[in-house]
Amino acid sequence: MEQFDVVVIGAGAAGMFCAAQAGQGGCRVLLLDNGKKAGRKILMSGGGRCNFTNMYAEPAAYISNNPHFCKSALARYTQWDFIELVSRYGIAYHEKTLGQLFCDESAQQIVDLLLKECELGQVTLRLRSEVLGVEKTEDGFLLTVNGEKVSARSLVVAAGGLSMPGLGATPFGYKLAEQFGLKVLPTRAALVPFTLHKPLLDHLQTLSGVSVPAVVTAENGVTFKENILFTHRGLSGPAILQLSSYWQPGEYVSVNLLPGVDLEAFINAERVAHPNQSVKNTLAQKLPKRLVECLQTLGQLPDVTLKQLNVPQQVELIDTLQQWRVQPNGTEGYRTAEVTLGGVDTRELSSKTMAANQVPGLYFIGEVVDVTGWLGGYNFQWAWSSAWACAQALVYENR
């Protein structure tokens, strides 16, 4: 039977980074993954360029039932630490928007970095490895992997969440937590597009591919200012993905299609200059013509000229465009979600080490934990930070 100091389950961002750091600290580490390739989700991220962190990563950008939990790890291994590592490997990167950092070339560069770091730590990586059972022993843990027994003093669960099941996501990490008596909070898809009810969807489908800058607001008051994208299923784009983490089924979403525009002043000025111009053509100066036509078809914009537009109609028009209320009928679910909300209850874990309070030697890191970041590299930063905090504890424990 093989013996290791540490077994890490899940060769994604958090698992690979933790294994590498623990290995470089002197631990004998086995890294397991059920897929045929390490870092599958990394390769898919950021349109294949991996949005590996965000320059503005801070605790306020994370959702958790225990909002203070992420503070320690994020403070101890920051975005600047990972940026320094990326620079050390000579990986060129650029800022896209709002502090989002992407590789100039390919997400494969980040996977290669992590694999090289694992190599430096003499980590044993085994792919296509299914963990069939885990038992607690006096000395640590006994795992059954592809029918073979493996023992370890410490076990790290970095099995990810339920998002993107096509890349091998399973509820393994949650089930393992429950096996050892840890509470798992309800999970749901996050950073995910909205689907819409008919007949609204039938009308908006004609806008598939149209993108506009907007401010979107959830019923709890949370607001994001970025683009929204009309799709053949409903609404997507950065602002919608962000808001999906705060939206609850049945709630409405408020969309300001013309943020920063004094619409009343604009319409009044146009009325003076072009009284016979249609409302549709006037608004097409500020919004895509297809969107204006669609809203008119829906009966949400009057089909009149500016001089015919009366005061109540103008008030309603401004309200429609700057507080457009849409009620999604749901989301596209885990299939297209970037992350999973909920997971292992952080009150069961040490915020300093990621260790389970009641189960010595058991750790949970990354997406499997109830910490979910905003869109834009925040979830990768949580992976790096939680992995690093865990690795420091492993090195200390296995000295």
Side-chain angles (χ1 to χ4, degrees):
M1 180 174 66
E2 286 187 291
Q3 295 180 314
F4 293 87
D5 296 323
V6 180
V7 170
V8 180
I9 301 173
M16 293 170 80
F17 194 56
C18 180
Q21 296 297 313
Q24 289 176 34
C27 297
R28 186 161 179 249
V29 182
L30 172 63
L31 175 59
L32 302 170
D33 196 273
N34 63 359
K36 59 183 179 182
K37 212 172 193 179
R40 287 170 293 173
K41 206 167 168 186
I42 298 172
L43 294 170
M44 290 284 289
S45 68
R49 293 203 172 178
C50 188
N51 178 194
F52 57 83
T53 193
N54 192 293
M55 293 197 297
Y56 305 119
E58 60 175 3
Y62 293 85
I63 305 164
S64 173
N65 268 32
N66 180 9
H68 298 293
F69 179 82
C70 64
K71 290 180 178 178
S72 174
L74 290 171
R76 289 162 59 222
Y77 190 87
T78 70
Q79 59 270 44
W80 309 112
D81 293 314
F82 195 77
I83 290 166
E84 191 273 327
L85 179 62
V86 167
S87 300
R88 208 188 314 153
Y89 274 79
I91 298 171
Y93 62 89
H94 60 279
E95 180 188 356
K96 210 166 179 182
T97 53
L98 304 171
Q100 301 173 32
L101 299 185
F102 289 78
C103 298
D104 282 1
E105 292 177 25
S106 165
Q108 184 65 53
Q109 294 175 292
I110 299 296
V111 174
D112 290 343
L113 176 159
L114 294 168
L115 289 170
K116 183 62 180 174
E117 286 288 296
C118 283
E119 195 182 303
L120 292 172
Q122 299 181 314
V123 172
T124 302
L125 170 61
R126 288 188 190 149
L127 301 170
R128 291 178 166 145
S129 296
E130 190 177 358
V131 179
L132 301 169
V134 179
E135 302 167 45
K136 186 81 178 78
T137 66
E138 270 188 40
D139 302 323
F141 298 87
L142 183 65
L143 288 80
T144 305
V145 184
N146 291 352
E148 302 288 325
K149 298 290 185 184
V150 175
S151 73
R153 286 179 62 186
S154 307
L155 177 62
V156 180
V157 182
L162 299 171
S163 55
M164 298 188 184
L167 297 179
T170 73
F172 176 87
Y174 307 132
K175 288 180 176 176
L176 192 62
E178 288 172 338
Q179 178 189 327
F180 286 102
L182 278 71
K183 184 180 179 185
V184 176
L185 298 172
T187 58
R188 65 184 177 94
L191 299 183
V192 63
F194 287 137
T195 55
L196 296 174
H197 297 278
K198 288 175 175 271
L200 179 60
L201 177 62
D202 293 334
H203 288 282
L204 294 183
Q205 273 180 332
T206 61
L207 300 174
S208 185
V210 172
S211 177
V212 291
V215 171
V216 295
T217 307
E219 284 194 10
N220 65 1
V222 172
T223 293
F224 290 99
K225 183 180 181 180
E226 280 190 79
N227 276 27
I228 65 169
L229 173 70
F230 294 90
T231 73
H232 63 288
R233 291 192 185 93
L235 293 173
S236 187
I240 295 297
L241 297 183
Q242 294 279 38
L243 206 72
S244 70
S245 298
Y246 296 87
W247 174 81
Q248 297 294 334
E251 290 183 348
Y252 279 82
V253 170
S254 175
V255 183
N256 183 347
L257 292 164
L258 287 168
V261 175
D262 185 337
L263 199 48
E264 185 177 13
F266 169 70
I267 291 170
N268 291 341
E270 287 294 303
R271 182 186 286 111
V272 171
H274 312 286
N276 294 315
Q277 184 171 261
S278 68
V279 167
K280 180 176 78 173
N281 288 342
T282 303
L283 294 175
Q285 297 175 55
K286 297 287 186 183
L287 288 167
K289 191 175 181 182
R290 280 163 63 195
L291 174 55
V292 177
E293 288 172 346
C294 182
L295 290 171
Q296 202 166 70
T297 304
L298 283 165
Q300 297 192 347
L301 298 178
D303 186 9
V304 295
T305 64
L306 290 175
K307 70 179 180 184
Q308 292 170 327
L309 185 70
N310 61 39
V311 173
Q313 285 176 318
Q314 182 166 319
V315 169
E316 191 176 338
L317 179 153
I318 292 169
D319 194 52
T320 295
L321 293 177
Q322 298 195 311
Q323 293 184 61
W324 184 39
R325 280 169 56 78
V326 179
Q327 187 183 37
N329 76 343
T331 72
E332 289 189 11
Y334 291 118
R335 186 182 61 80
T336 57
E338 298 207 12
V339 289
T340 307
L341 266 178
V344 177
D345 191 341
T346 57
R347 289 178 176 84
E348 302 274 11
L349 308 175
S350 160
S351 62
K352 187 179 179 186
T353 65
M354 306 293 133
N357 298 324
Q358 305 302 321
V359 188
L362 181 62
Y363 300 79
F364 291 83
I365 60 173
E367 191 182 347
V368 74
V369 177
D370 174 39
V371 175
T372 304
W374 288 353
L375 183 74
Y378 293 95
N379 288 294
F380 272 123
Q381 187 56 47
W382 171 246
W384 316 135
S385 297
S386 60
W388 188 89
C390 177
Q392 305 314 300
L394 292 169
V395 170
Y396 180 80
E397 187 181 284
N398 287 283
R399 280 192 304 192

